[in-house]
PDB file of all heavy atoms in Angstrom:
ATOM      1  N   LYS A1018      20.962  75.020 -62.430  1.00 91.00           N
ATOM      2  CA  LYS A1018      20.456  75.585 -63.630  1.00 91.00           C
ATOM      3  C   LYS A1018      20.156  74.526 -64.715  1.00 91.00           C
ATOM      4  O   LYS A1018      19.352  74.734 -65.631  1.00 91.00           O
ATOM      5  CB  LYS A1018      21.390  76.615 -64.231  1.00 91.00           C
ATOM      6  CG  LYS A1018      21.556  77.872 -63.389  1.00 91.00           C
ATOM      7  CD  LYS A1018      20.279  78.661 -63.298  1.00 91.00           C
ATOM      8  CE  LYS A1018      20.467  79.982 -62.536  1.00 91.00           C
ATOM      9  NZ  LYS A1018      19.192  80.746 -62.449  1.00 91.00           N
ATOM     10  N   ASN A1019      20.831  73.345 -64.583  1.00 90.00           N
ATOM     11  CA  ASN A1019      20.651  72.329 -65.624  1.00 90.00           C
ATOM     12  C   ASN A1019      20.003  71.061 -65.031  1.00 90.00           C
ATOM     13  O   ASN A1019      20.049  70.001 -65.690  1.00 90.00           O
ATOM     14  CB  ASN A1019      22.057  71.958 -66.183  1.00 90.00           C
ATOM     15  CG  ASN A1019      22.615  73.113 -67.032  1.00 90.00           C
ATOM     16  OD1 ASN A1019      22.259  73.321 -68.160  1.00 90.00           O
ATOM     17  ND2 ASN A1019      23.469  73.922 -66.389  1.00 90.00           N
ATOM     18  N   ASN A1020      19.393  71.171 -63.874  1.00 88.00           N
ATOM     19  CA  ASN A1020      18.682  70.086 -63.226  1.00 88.00           C
ATOM     20  C   ASN A1020      19.547  68.809 -63.109  1.00 88.00           C
ATOM     21  O   ASN A1020      19.096  67.697 -63.353  1.00 88.00           O
ATOM     22  CB  ASN A1020      17.412  69.721 -64.049  1.00 88.00           C
ATOM     23  CG  ASN A1020      16.395  70.866 -64.054  1.00 88.00           C
ATOM     24  OD1 ASN A1020      16.146  71.514 -63.042  1.00 88.00           O
ATOM     25  ND2 ASN A1020      15.830  71.125 -65.205  1.00 88.00           N
ATOM     26  N   PHE A1021      20.788  69.062 -62.770  1.00 87.00           N
ATOM     27  CA  PHE A1021      21.710  67.919 -62.586  1.00 87.00           C
ATOM     28  C   PHE A1021      22.064  67.778 -61.089  1.00 87.00           C
ATOM     29  O   PHE A1021      22.610  68.726 -60.478  1.00 87.00           O
ATOM     30  CB  PHE A1021      23.019  68.180 -63.351  1.00 87.00           C
ATOM     31  CG  PHE A1021      24.095  67.149 -63.095  1.00 87.00           C
ATOM     32  CD1 PHE A1021      23.939  65.827 -63.600  1.00 87.00           C
ATOM     33  CD2 PHE A1021      25.234  67.446 -62.415  1.00 87.00           C
ATOM     34  CE1 PHE A1021      24.868  64.861 -63.385  1.00 87.00           C
ATOM     35  CE2 PHE A1021      26.222  66.467 -62.173  1.00 87.00           C
ATOM     36  CZ  PHE A1021      26.042  65.181 -62.632  1.00 87.00           C
ATOM     37  N   ASP A1022      21.734  66.693 -60.544  1.00 85.00           N
ATOM     38  CA  ASP A1022      21.971  66.410 -59.116  1.00 85.00           C
ATOM     39  C   ASP A1022      23.275  65.672 -58.932  1.00 85.00           C
ATOM     40  O   ASP A1022      23.346  64.500 -59.335  1.00 85.00           O
ATOM     41  CB  ASP A1022      20.803  65.587 -58.538  1.00 85.00           C
ATOM     42  CG  ASP A1022      20.941  65.350 -57.045  1.00 85.00           C
ATOM     43  OD1 ASP A1022      21.813  65.979 -56.414  1.00 85.00           O
ATOM     44  OD2 ASP A1022      20.136  64.577 -56.490  1.00 85.00           O
ATOM     45  N   VAL A1023      24.267  66.368 -58.348  1.00 79.00           N
ATOM     46  CA  VAL A1023      25.509  65.725 -58.146  1.00 79.00           C
ATOM     47  C   VAL A1023      25.433  64.638 -57.075  1.00 79.00           C
ATOM     48  O   VAL A1023      26.211  63.690 -57.072  1.00 79.00           O
ATOM     49  CB  VAL A1023      26.599  66.808 -57.759  1.00 79.00           C
ATOM     50  CG1 VAL A1023      27.933  66.192 -57.514  1.00 79.00           C
ATOM     51  CG2 VAL A1023      26.683  67.877 -58.808  1.00 79.00           C
ATOM     52  N   GLY A1024      24.471  64.807 -56.180  1.00 79.00           N
ATOM     53  CA  GLY A1024      24.300  63.811 -55.133  1.00 79.00           C
ATOM     54  C   GLY A1024      24.954  64.168 -53.801  1.00 79.00           C
ATOM     55  O   GLY A1024      24.943  63.326 -52.913  1.00 79.00           O
ATOM     56  N   ILE A1025      25.533  65.360 -53.710  1.00 78.00           N
ATOM     57  CA  ILE A1025      26.142  65.776 -52.495  1.00 78.00           C
ATOM     58  C   ILE A1025      25.725  67.206 -52.179  1.00 78.00           C
ATOM     59  O   ILE A1025      25.314  67.940 -53.057  1.00 78.00           O
ATOM     60  CB  ILE A1025      27.672  65.695 -52.509  1.00 78.00           C
ATOM     61  CG1 ILE A1025      28.228  66.530 -53.652  1.00 78.00           C
ATOM     62  CG2 ILE A1025      28.156  64.250 -52.623  1.00 78.00           C
ATOM     63  CD1 ILE A1025      29.755  66.558 -53.723  1.00 78.00           C
ATOM     64  N   SER A1026      25.775  67.548 -50.892  1.00 80.00           N
ATOM     65  CA  SER A1026      25.278  68.890 -50.469  1.00 80.00           C
ATOM     66  C   SER A1026      26.270  69.965 -50.845  1.00 80.00           C
ATOM     67  O   SER A1026      27.455  69.706 -51.160  1.00 80.00           O
ATOM     68  CB  SER A1026      25.074  68.857 -48.946  1.00 80.00           C
ATOM     69  OG  SER A1026      26.316  68.681 -48.280  1.00 80.00           O
ATOM     70  N   GLY A1027      25.877  71.233 -50.717  1.00 79.00           N
ATOM     71  CA  GLY A1027      26.760  72.376 -51.022  1.00 79.00           C
ATOM     72  C   GLY A1027      28.000  72.381 -50.160  1.00 79.00           C
ATOM     73  O   GLY A1027      29.109  72.486 -50.712  1.00 79.00           O
ATOM     74  N   PRO A1028      27.906  72.208 -48.829  1.00 84.00           N
ATOM     75  CA  PRO A1028      29.098  72.177 -48.018  1.00 84.00           C
ATOM     76  C   PRO A1028      30.021  71.002 -48.420  1.00 84.00           C
ATOM     77  O   PRO A1028      31.286  71.169 -48.360  1.00 84.00           O
ATOM     78  CB  PRO A1028      28.574  71.971 -46.584  1.00 84.00           C
ATOM     79  CG  PRO A1028      27.201  72.575 -46.626  1.00 84.00           C
ATOM     80  CD  PRO A1028      26.667  72.229 -47.999  1.00 84.00           C
ATOM     81  N   ALA A1029      29.466  69.858 -48.752  1.00 87.00           N
ATOM     82  CA  ALA A1029      30.297  68.749 -49.147  1.00 87.00           C
ATOM     83  C   ALA A1029      31.016  69.036 -50.452  1.00 87.00           C
ATOM     84  O   ALA A1029      32.181  68.576 -50.698  1.00 87.00           O
ATOM     85  CB  ALA A1029      29.469  67.476 -49.310  1.00 87.00           C
ATOM     86  N   MET A1030      30.392  69.816 -51.375  1.00 91.00           N
ATOM     87  CA  MET A1030      31.045  70.220 -52.589  1.00 91.00           C
ATOM     88  C   MET A1030      32.299  70.981 -52.273  1.00 91.00           C
ATOM     89  O   MET A1030      33.330  70.832 -52.912  1.00 91.00           O
ATOM     90  CB  MET A1030      30.106  71.035 -53.462  1.00 91.00           C
ATOM     91  CG  MET A1030      29.028  70.251 -54.203  1.00 91.00           C
ATOM     92  SD  MET A1030      28.068  71.365 -55.212  1.00 91.00           S
ATOM     93  CE  MET A1030      27.035  70.205 -56.115  1.00 91.00           C
ATOM     94  N   GLY A1031      32.193  71.891 -51.328  1.00 92.00           N
ATOM     95  CA  GLY A1031      33.335  72.697 -50.940  1.00 92.00           C
ATOM     96  C   GLY A1031      34.466  71.871 -50.381  1.00 92.00           C
ATOM     97  O   GLY A1031      35.610  72.123 -50.671  1.00 92.00           O
ATOM     98  N   THR A1032      34.109  70.802 -49.661  1.00 91.00           N
ATOM     99  CA  THR A1032      35.096  69.879 -49.143  1.00 91.00           C
ATOM    100  C   THR A1032      35.846  69.126 -50.305  1.00 91.00           C
ATOM    101  O   THR A1032      37.062  68.955 -50.281  1.00 91.00           O
ATOM    102  CB  THR A1032      34.478  68.855 -48.205  1.00 91.00           C
ATOM    103  OG1 THR A1032      33.872  69.609 -47.118  1.00 91.00           O
ATOM    104  CG2 THR A1032      35.521  67.885 -47.629  1.00 91.00           C
ATOM    105  N   VAL A1033      35.056  68.693 -51.272  1.00 90.00           N
ATOM    106  CA  VAL A1033      35.615  67.999 -52.443  1.00 90.00           C
ATOM    107  C   VAL A1033      36.636  68.884 -53.157  1.00 90.00           C
ATOM    108  O   VAL A1033      37.714  68.457 -53.489  1.00 90.00           O
ATOM    109  CB  VAL A1033      34.537  67.522 -53.407  1.00 90.00           C
ATOM    110  CG1 VAL A1033      35.120  67.001 -54.706  1.00 90.00           C
ATOM    111  CG2 VAL A1033      33.657  66.468 -52.754  1.00 90.00           C
ATOM    112  N   VAL A1034      36.191  70.128 -53.435  1.00 94.00           N
ATOM    113  CA  VAL A1034      37.025  71.072 -54.076  1.00 94.00           C
ATOM    114  C   VAL A1034      38.313  71.307 -53.306  1.00 94.00           C
ATOM    115  O   VAL A1034      39.469  71.398 -53.844  1.00 94.00           O
ATOM    116  CB  VAL A1034      36.317  72.394 -54.392  1.00 94.00           C
ATOM    117  CG1 VAL A1034      37.288  73.490 -54.885  1.00 94.00           C
ATOM    118  CG2 VAL A1034      35.204  72.208 -55.382  1.00 94.00           C
ATOM    119  N   ARG A1035      38.198  71.411 -52.005  1.00 93.00           N
ATOM    120  CA  ARG A1035      39.346  71.632 -51.087  1.00 93.00           C
ATOM    121  C   ARG A1035      40.386  70.500 -51.256  1.00 93.00           C
ATOM    122  O   ARG A1035      41.581  70.733 -51.299  1.00 93.00           O
ATOM    123  CB  ARG A1035      38.894  71.768 -49.706  1.00 93.00           C
ATOM    124  CG  ARG A1035      40.001  72.036 -48.652  1.00 93.00           C
ATOM    125  CD  ARG A1035      39.454  72.284 -47.255  1.00 93.00           C
ATOM    126  NE  ARG A1035      40.485  72.577 -46.339  1.00 93.00           N
ATOM    127  CZ  ARG A1035      41.026  71.654 -45.502  1.00 93.00           C
ATOM    128  NH1 ARG A1035      40.609  70.377 -45.624  1.00 93.00           N
ATOM    129  NH2 ARG A1035      41.986  71.970 -44.655  1.00 93.00           N
ATOM    130  N   HIS A1036      39.874  69.290 -51.360  1.00 90.00           N
ATOM    131  CA  HIS A1036      40.767  68.123 -51.478  1.00 90.00           C
ATOM    132  C   HIS A1036      41.384  67.994 -52.834  1.00 90.00           C
ATOM    133  O   HIS A1036      42.506  67.596 -53.002  1.00 90.00           O
ATOM    134  CB  HIS A1036      40.039  66.837 -51.144  1.00 90.00           C
ATOM    135  CG  HIS A1036      39.890  66.596 -49.663  1.00 90.00           C
ATOM    136  ND1 HIS A1036      40.753  65.764 -48.987  1.00 90.00           N
ATOM    137  CD2 HIS A1036      38.989  67.066 -48.758  1.00 90.00           C
ATOM    138  CE1 HIS A1036      40.403  65.742 -47.707  1.00 90.00           C
ATOM    139  NE2 HIS A1036      39.379  66.546 -47.524  1.00 90.00           N
ATOM    140  N   LEU A1037      40.681  68.414 -53.888  1.00 93.00           N
ATOM    141  CA  LEU A1037      41.164  68.309 -55.247  1.00 93.00           C
ATOM    142  C   LEU A1037      42.170  69.363 -55.579  1.00 93.00           C
ATOM    143  O   LEU A1037      43.091  69.130 -56.428  1.00 93.00           O
ATOM    144  CB  LEU A1037      40.031  68.391 -56.268  1.00 93.00           C
ATOM    145  CG  LEU A1037      39.043  67.190 -56.323  1.00 93.00           C
ATOM    146  CD1 LEU A1037      37.884  67.499 -57.242  1.00 93.00           C
ATOM    147  CD2 LEU A1037      39.773  65.950 -56.799  1.00 93.00           C
ATOM    148  N   CYS A1038      42.048  70.560 -55.003  1.00 95.00           N
ATOM    149  CA  CYS A1038      42.920  71.657 -55.317  1.00 95.00           C
ATOM    150  C   CYS A1038      44.103  71.710 -54.325  1.00 95.00           C
ATOM    151  O   CYS A1038      43.922  71.984 -53.116  1.00 95.00           O
ATOM    152  CB  CYS A1038      42.130  72.983 -55.263  1.00 95.00           C
ATOM    153  SG  CYS A1038      40.855  73.062 -56.504  1.00 95.00           S
ATOM    154  N   ARG A1039      45.326  71.576 -54.862  1.00 95.00           N
ATOM    155  CA  ARG A1039      46.538  71.557 -54.073  1.00 95.00           C
ATOM    156  C   ARG A1039      47.447  72.682 -54.496  1.00 95.00           C
ATOM    157  O   ARG A1039      47.397  73.177 -55.619  1.00 95.00           O
ATOM    158  CB  ARG A1039      47.250  70.199 -54.186  1.00 95.00           C
ATOM    159  CG  ARG A1039      46.366  69.021 -53.854  1.00 95.00           C
ATOM    160  CD  ARG A1039      45.851  69.022 -52.408  1.00 95.00           C
ATOM    161  NE  ARG A1039      45.016  67.898 -52.088  1.00 95.00           N
ATOM    162  CZ  ARG A1039      45.433  66.813 -51.444  1.00 95.00           C
ATOM    163  NH1 ARG A1039      46.667  66.724 -51.006  1.00 95.00           N
ATOM    164  NH2 ARG A1039      44.630  65.812 -51.140  1.00 95.00           N
ATOM    165  N   TYR A1040      48.316  73.064 -53.612  1.00 95.00           N
ATOM    166  CA  TYR A1040      49.288  74.126 -53.919  1.00 95.00           C
ATOM    167  C   TYR A1040      50.160  73.659 -55.025  1.00 95.00           C
ATOM    168  O   TYR A1040      50.627  72.515 -55.016  1.00 95.00           O
ATOM    169  CB  TYR A1040      50.129  74.412 -52.674  1.00 95.00           C
ATOM    170  CG  TYR A1040      51.108  75.541 -52.815  1.00 95.00           C
ATOM    171  CD1 TYR A1040      50.821  76.687 -53.545  1.00 95.00           C
ATOM    172  CD2 TYR A1040      52.340  75.495 -52.173  1.00 95.00           C
ATOM    173  CE1 TYR A1040      51.747  77.717 -53.651  1.00 95.00           C
ATOM    174  CE2 TYR A1040      53.268  76.520 -52.265  1.00 95.00           C
ATOM    175  CZ  TYR A1040      52.973  77.643 -53.038  1.00 95.00           C
ATOM    176  OH  TYR A1040      53.861  78.622 -53.162  1.00 95.00           O
ATOM    177  N   LYS A1041      50.361  74.480 -56.074  1.00 94.00           N
ATOM    178  CA  LYS A1041      51.078  74.016 -57.256  1.00 94.00           C
ATOM    179  C   LYS A1041      52.521  73.690 -56.956  1.00 94.00           C
ATOM    180  O   LYS A1041      53.167  72.939 -57.796  1.00 94.00           O
ATOM    181  CB  LYS A1041      50.927  75.029 -58.357  1.00 94.00           C
ATOM    182  CG  LYS A1041      51.687  76.313 -58.226  1.00 94.00           C
ATOM    183  CD  LYS A1041      51.450  77.211 -59.454  1.00 94.00           C
ATOM    184  CE  LYS A1041      52.185  78.525 -59.355  1.00 94.00           C
ATOM    185  NZ  LYS A1041      51.957  79.352 -60.572  1.00 94.00           N
ATOM    186  N   LYS A1042      53.101  74.166 -55.854  1.00 93.00           N
ATOM    187  CA  LYS A1042      54.473  73.845 -55.593  1.00 93.00           C
ATOM    188  C   LYS A1042      54.628  72.677 -54.641  1.00 93.00           C
ATOM    189  O   LYS A1042      55.757  72.244 -54.407  1.00 93.00           O
ATOM    190  CB  LYS A1042      55.178  75.094 -54.976  1.00 93.00           C
ATOM    191  CG  LYS A1042      55.315  76.282 -55.989  1.00 93.00           C
ATOM    192  CD  LYS A1042      56.075  77.420 -55.349  1.00 93.00           C
ATOM    193  CE  LYS A1042      56.199  78.567 -56.348  1.00 93.00           C
ATOM    194  NZ  LYS A1042      56.940  79.717 -55.780  1.00 93.00           N
ATOM    195  N   ASP A1043      53.478  72.199 -54.092  1.00 91.00           N
ATOM    196  CA  ASP A1043      53.516  71.085 -53.167  1.00 91.00           C
ATOM    197  C   ASP A1043      52.164  70.414 -53.128  1.00 91.00           C
ATOM    198  O   ASP A1043      51.255  70.886 -52.400  1.00 91.00           O
ATOM    199  CB  ASP A1043      53.962  71.513 -51.744  1.00 91.00           C
ATOM    200  CG  ASP A1043      54.121  70.371 -50.779  1.00 91.00           C
ATOM    201  OD1 ASP A1043      53.757  69.199 -51.128  1.00 91.00           O
ATOM    202  OD2 ASP A1043      54.653  70.591 -49.656  1.00 91.00           O
ATOM    203  N   ARG A1044      51.967  69.371 -53.836  1.00 89.00           N
ATOM    204  CA  ARG A1044      50.678  68.769 -54.027  1.00 89.00           C
ATOM    205  C   ARG A1044      50.154  68.102 -52.743  1.00 89.00           C
ATOM    206  O   ARG A1044      48.968  67.759 -52.634  1.00 89.00           O
ATOM    207  CB  ARG A1044      50.678  67.726 -55.117  1.00 89.00           C
ATOM    208  CG  ARG A1044      51.643  66.592 -54.895  1.00 89.00           C
ATOM    209  CD  ARG A1044      51.754  65.697 -56.115  1.00 89.00           C
ATOM    210  NE  ARG A1044      50.608  64.878 -56.306  1.00 89.00           N
ATOM    211  CZ  ARG A1044      50.353  64.204 -57.397  1.00 89.00           C
ATOM    212  NH1 ARG A1044      51.132  64.243 -58.451  1.00 89.00           N
ATOM    213  NH2 ARG A1044      49.260  63.478 -57.535  1.00 89.00           N
ATOM    214  N   SER A1045      50.990  67.953 -51.709  1.00 86.00           N
ATOM    215  CA  SER A1045      50.527  67.376 -50.456  1.00 86.00           C
ATOM    216  C   SER A1045      49.831  68.451 -49.595  1.00 86.00           C
ATOM    217  O   SER A1045      49.198  68.086 -48.569  1.00 86.00           O
ATOM    218  CB  SER A1045      51.704  66.800 -49.678  1.00 86.00           C
ATOM    219  OG  SER A1045      52.612  67.842 -49.216  1.00 86.00           O
ATOM    220  N   VAL A1046      49.866  69.678 -49.985  1.00 92.00           N
ATOM    221  CA  VAL A1046      49.258  70.785 -49.196  1.00 92.00           C
ATOM    222  C   VAL A1046      48.010  71.275 -49.892  1.00 92.00           C
ATOM    223  O   VAL A1046      47.996  71.613 -51.070  1.00 92.00           O
ATOM    224  CB  VAL A1046      50.275  71.968 -49.055  1.00 92.00           C
ATOM    225  CG1 VAL A1046      49.655  73.105 -48.284  1.00 92.00           C
ATOM    226  CG2 VAL A1046      51.581  71.501 -48.411  1.00 92.00           C
TER     227      VAL A1046
END
Side-chain angles (χ1 to χ4, degrees):
K1018 294 295 184 180
N1019 293 279
N1020 297 316
F1021 174 71
D1022 184 9
V1023 181
I1025 57 177
S1026 65
M1030 284 182 173
T1032 300
V1033 170
V1034 170
R1035 181 173 182 267
H1036 279 263
L1037 290 174
C1038 296
R1039 305 300 179 99
Y1040 184 36
K1041 69 179 182 180
K1042 294 183 179 180
D1043 185 352
R1044 60 187 289 168
S1045 68
V1046 179

